[in-house]
């Protein structure tokens, strides 16, 4: 499968499981309606309807598009990594039990791991 070209920073996060600095991501304060897709393969991941303000420093979503995200135990044994179910790109981590939304789930996602497709009017 052929993937989109990545910058060195995108490779560091997406391929080598890095993290962008908190409060620096381009989608942190994005409130537009649309779709968030994987930067590496364009697989749809999240809709803007599931994005919420968690004040954690990264874009947060309380639900993924069904089948779009895979959960993997993190190497540190304490967290759960989330990756694109299509290409395995590192997205971030998922947390449960924080009671920030009625779904009680927070997908903490690196902006650099995604592209935003605005909803057409």
């Amino acid at each position: 499968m052929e993937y989109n070209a990545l910058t060195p920073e995108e490779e560091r996060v997406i391929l080598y499981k890095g993290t962008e600095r908190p409060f620096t991501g381009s989608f942190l304060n994005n409130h537009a309606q649309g779709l968030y897709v994987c930067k590496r393969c364009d697989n749809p991941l999240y809709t803007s309807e599931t994005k919420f303000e968690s004040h954690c420093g990264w874009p947060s979503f309380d639900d993924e598009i069904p089948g779009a995200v895979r959960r993997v135990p993190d190497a540190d044994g304490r967290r759960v990594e989330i990756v694109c179910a299509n290409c395995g790109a590192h997205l971030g981590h998922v947390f449960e039990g924080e009671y920030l939304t009625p779904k009680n789930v927070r997908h903490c996602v690196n902006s650099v791991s995604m592209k935003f497709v605005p909803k057409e009017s």
Side-chain angles (χ1 to χ4, degrees), residues 44-65:
L45 302 169
Y46 303 98
T47 65
S48 56
E49 288 79 20
T50 63
K51 189 172 186 286
F52 71 98
E53 296 295 331
S54 68
H55 308 287
C56 71
W58 293 272
S60 297
F61 303 86
D62 70 356
D63 207 355
E64 72 270 23
I65 293 172

Side-chain angles (χ1 to χ4, degrees), residues 2-57:
E2 192 168 319
Y3 297 121
N4 297 321
L6 301 174
T7 67
E9 173 64 3
E10 292 166 350
E11 283 186 5
R12 183 184 72 77
V13 173
I14 293 169
L15 301 180
Y16 302 105
K17 303 182 186 309
T19 302
E20 65 190 359
R21 288 188 351 229
F23 300 101
T24 62
S26 60
F27 298 131
L28 180 61
N29 295 310
N30 182 25
H31 300 291
Q33 294 297 305
L35 188 66
Y36 293 86
V37 302
C38 177
K39 177 72 69 91
R40 188 175 186 212
C41 72
D42 297 324
N43 184 45
L45 302 169
Y46 303 98
T47 65
S48 56
E49 288 79 20
T50 63
K51 189 172 186 286
F52 71 98
E53 296 295 331
S54 68
H55 308 287
C56 71

